[in-house]
Amino acid sequence: MPTYTITELAREFDITARAIRFYEDQGLLSPSREGAGGRNRVYTPRDRTRLKLTLRGKRLGLSLSEIKSLVDMYETPKDTAAQMHRFLGVLAQHRETLEQQREDIEMSLAEITAHEDECQRLLAAIGAPAAQAE
């Protein structure tokens, strides 16, 4: 079975060794230790997969506790239907949050546009040249 060093995983996933140690501290990874005083971390294919799933979850915007809960579900393959329902629930909740954020952003952009239009109208009324957008 292949093993990986922290440097190899950091390079493969384009993250820092510090980030990997952080995920380890959060209980997402559990490498074995080798060498004098157990200084060298040795990651298994299981750790590599957990790291990959963790980074995927971060890209989706999930919290570390949500990611840990989901990744831990895959350690017990007996309840796949329950796992998928739970994952769908997490995704639905995250979708709802993102949809609300999108709505908030669209409202803010509309307000900015209204303020810009009003400023342009006032500038035109007093005969001042319009400002250039940066």
Side-chain angles (χ1 to χ4, degrees):
M1 174 169 60
T3 59
Y4 309 91
T5 66
I6 196 167
T7 304
E8 290 169 334
L9 289 178
R11 189 176 305 123
E12 177 180 353
F13 293 105
D14 195 28
I15 58 175
T16 64
R18 183 177 182 186
I20 294 173
R21 287 190 297 272
F22 175 75
Y23 295 140
E24 185 181 330
D25 291 342
Q26 299 302 306
L28 290 158
L29 305 172
S30 55
S32 60
R33 303 286 189 140
E34 289 182 357
R39 291 186 52 135
N40 300 328
R41 291 169 168 84
V42 178
Y43 297 89
T44 63
R46 173 188 170 273
D47 291 312
R48 183 186 171 279
T49 299
R50 289 177 68 91
L51 179 58
K52 185 177 184 176
L53 292 171
T54 297
L55 296 173
R56 190 174 292 158
K58 290 300 291 176
R59 280 193 303 277
L60 286 172
L62 301 176
S63 71
L64 285 179
S65 62
E66 290 171 323
I67 292 168
K68 183 171 181 353
S69 174
L70 293 170
V71 170
D72 286 347
M73 283 192 310
Y74 288 98
E75 296 295 312
T76 55
K78 54 187 168 205
D79 260 343
T80 7
Q83 291 169 352
M84 290 298 135
H85 285 295
R86 177 125 192 272
F87 186 47
L88 285 171
V90 168
L91 290 175
Q93 183 178 14
H94 192 61
R95 174 184 293 279
E96 185 178 318
T97 299
L98 290 174
E99 294 285 349
Q100 182 61 55
Q101 288 174 345
R102 178 170 47 194
E103 186 178 312
D104 293 343
I105 289 170
E106 288 172 358
M107 285 176 36
S108 293
L109 288 172
E111 289 175 11
I112 289 171
T113 299
H115 289 299
E116 288 172 336
D117 292 346
E118 179 64 12
C119 286
Q120 295 294 349
R121 187 188 66 72
L122 290 171
L123 285 171
I126 61 173
Q132 296 294 321
E134 292 181 30

